[in-house]
């Protein structure tokens, strides 16, 4: 055997003993590659692609200290990938640009308009945003300007007496920008709502008539239970429906008018807690069942927030001297105080919180601002029935009462030894140019500012009330107990012939005894 052959032989022996063959080597390589490909980060970038980019950069640049700067190259490569992910989608940008393009279009014949024609209910929210910004509250100047243009678009399409930016409600998918308007009494919107309500009532009557007609042949027993009367809703322009609200998901999107609400919407909204999604047509799935969609729930939450957090400096409004106080519920209207020249910062930031007052009516537990007597819906026959005075007094419901208008916020109930409001000054360093602002602790996200004659309210939040404990849904009612079986409803066996004879004999014996007693009485009378 030659030396070369010996070396080859020994080499083959070493290769067979120390290293795997080609098939095993390929298998190990595929397993390692699959592992590297499967290892991904939170952004979805796998380790294999990251290593390929790092090695490609090293081979391209060929630095001297490649082993030292490899970590820096890895960090820079990863930061470049994150920047690409943060870049907006060009298609989404184009859609947004097309949607917001009408906001920046100039109106027709605006050059020929005089000062009187340019007067509109559009508020100067940029000035208001400046003061809110001093208190650390706001949406940013760009977003605020877009909202201002969107409000101008709403004003140009409709005629309103007053308009203001109510706030922004955050949703899980989309947000809501809310505009509060005061419309004229004669509006086409009312007619549309009345037609919808009439159609619903007619449909309900038709269904009842059909059900009664089907049971004419074999009528079923009718229940004597009478459900409690439905609390009527307050008319448009009064109570919780005093103002009309329009919402949109983003500036430039079409404004959608929210419907008027009923006391049932408000009462059930107090019992549930649902996050908004941005879809007005979404069904509210909760217990108790909510009678409406997300637009009704949104409108109910807006009414609750407004009734609790809409405040103004004390003395800004006053009651009219001509208006007499009503017997039930107190006064409901007020007017501007012409003698008001602005409240000093010391009163607005006082610990007693008497410098701010509520200028929106309180919502009663019934779901209305003015209590409605359920006895008014009863029939006249029931009212004419004779009852004792004590029984009438017991059955008469007690009217609900709430705090009157222009009540100081310092009278609000505390939240577990914490005041319902917190008042501060925007700057202690330059107080002569500062403004006073107040924050609601009951509805986080509700703020108000005041400086001189300028003041405003805003809400930016999720639309939920502060809770001292975790939310617990209401439990369903307990199941009804089983009916107790008594002898009056038990099925009896048919009597036998012997039982019938015994019953006849027992019935005849009392008759014979009565005849004997009558004969004895007659004999005694003759004697």
């Amino acid at each position: 055997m030659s030396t070369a052959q010996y070396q080859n032989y020994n080499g083959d022996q070493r290769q067979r003993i120390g290293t795997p063959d080609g098939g095993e080597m390929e298998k190990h390589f595929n397993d390692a590659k699959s592992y590297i490909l499967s290892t991904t980060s939170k952004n979805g970038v796998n380790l294999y692609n990251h290593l390929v980019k790092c090695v490609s950069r090293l081979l391209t640049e060929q630095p001297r200290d490649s082993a030292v700067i490899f970590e820096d190259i890895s960090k820079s490569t990863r930061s470049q990938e994150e920047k690409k992910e943060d870049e907006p989608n060009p298609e989404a940008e184009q859609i947004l640009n097309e949607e917001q393009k009408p906001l920046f279009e100039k109106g027709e014949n605006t050059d020929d308009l005089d000062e009187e024609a340019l007067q509109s209910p559009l508020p100067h929210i940029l000035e208001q945003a400046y003061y809110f910004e001093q208190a650390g509250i706001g949406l940013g100047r760009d977003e605020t300007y877009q909202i201002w243009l969107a409000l101008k678009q709403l004003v140009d399409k409709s005629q309103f007496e007053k308009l203001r930016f109510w706030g922004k409600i955050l949703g899980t998918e989309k947000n809501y920008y809310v505009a509060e308007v005061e419309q004229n009494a004669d509006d086409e919107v009312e007619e549309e709502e009345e037609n919808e309500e009439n159609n619903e009532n007619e449909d309900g009557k038709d269904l009842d008539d059909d059900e009664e007609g089907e049971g004419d042949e074999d009528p079923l027993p009718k229940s004597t239970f009478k459900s409690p009367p439905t609390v009527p809703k307050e008319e448009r322009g009064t109570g919780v429906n005093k103002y009309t609200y329009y919402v949109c998901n983003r500036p430039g999107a079409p404004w959608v008018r929210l419907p008027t609400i009923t006391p049932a919407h408000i009462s059930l909204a107090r019992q549930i807690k649902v996050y908004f999604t941005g879809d007005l047509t979404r069904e509210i799935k909760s217990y108790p069942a909510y009678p409406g969609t997300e637009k009704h729930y949104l409108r109910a939450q807006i009414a609750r927030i407004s009734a609790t957090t809409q405040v103004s400096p004390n003395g800004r409004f006053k009651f009219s001297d001509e208006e007499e106080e009503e017997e039930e519920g107190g006064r409901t209207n007020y007017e501007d105080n012409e003698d008001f020249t602005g409240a000093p910062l010391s009163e607005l930031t006082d610990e007693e919180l008497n410098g701010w007052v509520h200028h929106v009516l309180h919502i009663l537990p019934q779901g209305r601002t003015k209590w409605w007597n359920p006895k008014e819906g009863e029939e006249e026959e029931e009212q004419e029935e004779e009852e004792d005075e004590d029984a009438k007094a017991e059955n008469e419901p007690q009217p609900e009462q709430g705090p009157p208008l222009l009540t100081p916020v310092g009278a609000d109930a505390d939240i577990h030894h914490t005041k319902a409001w917190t008042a501060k000054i925007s700057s202690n360093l330059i107080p002569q140019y500062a403004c006073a602002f107040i924050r609601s602790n009951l509805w986080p996200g509700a703020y108000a500012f005041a400086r001189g004659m300028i003041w405003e309210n805003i809400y930016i939040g999720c639309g939920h009330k502060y809770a001292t404990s975790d939310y617990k849904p209401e439990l369903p009612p307990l199941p009804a107990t089983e009916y107790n079986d008594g002898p009056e409803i038990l099925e009896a066996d048919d009597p036998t012939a012997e039982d019938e004879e015994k019953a006849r004999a027992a019935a005849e014996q009392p008759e014979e005894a009565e005849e004997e007693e009558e004969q004895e009485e007659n004999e005694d009378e003759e004697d």
Side-chain angles (χ1 to χ4, degrees):
M1 182 179 295
S2 63
T3 306
Q5 291 177 350
Y6 181 79
Q7 290 177 354
N8 291 338
Y9 175 77
N10 291 339
D12 293 340
Q13 288 289 343
R14 287 195 298 270
Q15 186 178 4
R16 287 194 297 269
I17 295 173
T19 60
D21 56 4
E24 294 181 357
M25 179 68 72
E26 184 177 1
K27 181 181 179 184
H28 289 316
F29 175 77
N30 293 332
D31 292 343
K33 185 177 180 180
S34 61
Y35 167 73
I36 296 175
L37 287 170
S38 63
T39 306
T40 59
S41 62
K42 296 180 180 180
N43 300 328
V45 180
N46 55 49
L47 180 60
Y48 181 82
N49 294 333
H50 181 68
L51 290 175
V52 168
K53 293 179 181 178
C54 294
V55 174
S56 300
R57 185 173 175 180
L58 286 172
L59 296 176
T60 303
E61 298 178 358
Q62 294 184 358
R64 292 183 179 180
D65 301 332
S66 58
V68 177
I69 67 173
F70 180 79
E71 185 177 355
D72 298 335
I73 292 174
S74 176
K75 289 182 179 179
S76 63
T77 304
R78 188 165 58 250
S79 63
Q80 291 177 1
E81 294 174 353
E82 292 177 354
K83 288 181 180 179
K84 291 181 180 179
E85 293 177 357
D86 295 338
E87 292 179 358
N89 187 5
E91 295 181 357
E93 282 188 348
Q94 184 177 1
I95 294 173
L96 183 62
N97 293 336
E98 292 293 335
E99 190 176 63
Q100 294 184 351
K101 183 179 179 181
L103 297 178
F104 299 92
E105 293 179 352
K106 192 175 182 180
E108 298 179 357
N109 301 326
T110 54
D111 298 335
D112 301 336
L113 296 176
D114 54 2
E115 294 182 358
E116 295 181 358
L118 287 174
Q119 292 180 357
S120 68
L122 182 66
H124 194 349
I125 65 173
L126 287 182
E127 181 183 9
Q128 300 169 5
Y130 167 74
Y131 291 105
F132 278 120
E133 187 178 355
Q134 292 189 22
I137 308 157
L139 301 173
R141 296 185 180 180
D142 294 340
E143 187 176 0
T144 302
Y145 190 75
Q146 293 175 2
I147 295 171
W148 198 20
L149 295 176
L151 293 176
K152 179 181 178 298
Q153 192 179 36
L154 178 62
V155 171
D156 294 340
K157 292 182 179 179
S158 304
Q159 295 181 357
F160 305 124
E161 294 183 359
K162 294 181 181 179
L163 181 141
R164 77 179 190 91
F165 178 60
W166 186 87
K168 179 180 178 180
I169 292 183
L170 308 177
T172 57
E173 299 177 5
K174 299 178 182 179
N175 303 323
Y176 288 116
Y177 296 89
V178 186
E180 180 185 274
V181 302
E182 185 175 353
Q183 290 182 321
N184 298 326
D186 300 333
D187 199 346
E188 296 179 357
V189 177
E190 291 187 63
E191 297 179 359
E192 294 178 0
E193 288 185 354
E194 290 177 358
N195 294 334
E196 292 177 359
E197 293 178 358
N198 293 334
N199 294 333
E200 293 178 357
N201 295 334
E202 290 177 359
D203 295 340
K205 291 179 180 179
D206 294 339
L207 293 173
D208 295 339
D209 296 340
D210 295 340
E211 292 178 357
E212 292 178 359
E214 292 176 358
D216 290 338
E217 297 180 358
D218 189 9
L220 297 174
K222 296 182 180 180
S223 175
T224 58
F225 171 75
K226 292 183 180 180
S227 59
T230 303
V231 181
K233 72 175 183 179
E234 294 175 303
E235 298 180 357
R236 178 181 292 276
T238 60
V240 295
N241 295 317
K242 181 177 181 180
Y243 299 102
T244 305
Y245 294 90
Y246 288 81
V247 297
C248 65
N249 294 123
R250 52 186 173 271
W255 290 95
V256 180
R257 180 185 56 82
L258 296 180
T260 56
I261 51 173
T262 62
H265 290 141
I266 296 178
S267 299
L268 290 173
R270 290 168 169 166
Q271 304 178 28
I272 63 176
K273 188 174 184 180
V274 180
Y275 281 93
F276 295 99
T277 60
D279 183 9
L280 293 174
T281 60
R282 181 178 70 100
E283 180 184 359
I284 301 296
K285 297 181 179 179
S286 62
Y287 182 83
Y290 193 75
T293 56
E294 185 167 309
K295 62 182 179 182
H296 299 92
Y297 180 62
L298 175 63
R299 181 63 182 84
Q301 293 297 93
I302 291 174
R304 296 178 60 198
I305 295 171
S306 299
T308 310
T309 64
Q310 297 294 310
V311 296
S312 58
N314 194 357
R316 180 64 182 84
F317 300 107
K318 67 175 183 178
F319 294 113
S320 176
D321 297 334
E322 299 177 356
E323 183 183 4
E324 297 181 358
E325 186 174 358
E326 300 179 3
E327 296 180 358
E328 299 179 0
R331 298 179 178 179
T332 58
N333 295 318
Y334 52 83
E335 61 182 14
D336 293 337
N337 186 6
E338 298 178 355
D339 299 332
F340 179 75
T341 58
L345 295 179
S346 59
E347 294 182 3
L348 296 175
T349 58
D350 184 23
E351 294 182 356
E352 299 297 330
L353 299 175
N354 292 325
W356 300 86
V357 296
H358 294 278
H359 60 264
V360 178
L361 287 171
H362 176 76
I363 301 178
L364 302 174
Q366 194 179 51
R368 293 166 52 97
T369 58
K370 184 179 180 181
W371 185 71
W372 175 77
N373 188 358
K375 290 293 184 180
E376 294 179 0
E378 293 183 353
E379 299 178 359
E380 296 180 358
E381 296 180 358
E382 296 181 358
Q383 295 179 357
E384 293 177 357
E385 291 180 356
E386 295 182 358
E387 295 181 357
D388 297 337
E389 294 181 359
D390 297 339
K392 287 183 179 181
E394 292 177 357
N395 297 331
E396 189 70 21
Q398 295 182 358
E400 300 173 355
Q401 294 182 355
L405 273 177
L406 306 184
T407 300
V409 299
D412 293 0
D414 294 345
I415 311 169
H416 281 257
H417 308 290
T418 302
K419 292 185 177 181
W421 295 88
T422 300
K424 292 184 178 181
I425 190 172
S426 60
S427 176
N428 292 320
L429 300 176
I430 312 176
Q432 60 270 26
Y433 294 104
C435 66
F437 70 96
I438 189 169
R439 181 185 73 242
S440 174
N441 298 324
L442 185 62
W443 290 93
Y447 301 91
F449 84 90
R451 174 174 170 77
M453 296 293 293
I454 304 173
W455 63 275
E456 191 51 74
N457 293 268
I458 196 171
Y459 177 82
I460 304 173
C462 298
H464 289 158
K465 191 176 180 180
Y466 173 75
T468 56
S469 60
D470 296 335
Y471 171 71
K472 296 180 181 179
E474 184 180 351
L475 297 176
L478 297 175
T481 57
E482 295 291 340
Y483 189 82
N484 295 327
D485 296 336
E488 64 277 3
I489 63 172
L490 292 176
E491 185 177 358
D493 297 334
D494 294 337
T496 60
E498 297 177 354
D499 295 337
E500 291 179 354
E501 292 180 0
K502 292 180 180 179
R504 291 172 185 172
E508 292 176 355
Q509 287 179 358
E511 293 179 357
E512 294 178 355
E514 290 178 359
E515 292 179 355
E516 293 178 355
E517 290 178 359
E518 290 179 357
Q519 291 179 359
E520 292 178 357
E521 290 177 358
N522 295 333
E523 291 177 356
D524 295 337
E525 290 177 357
E526 292 177 356
D527 297 339

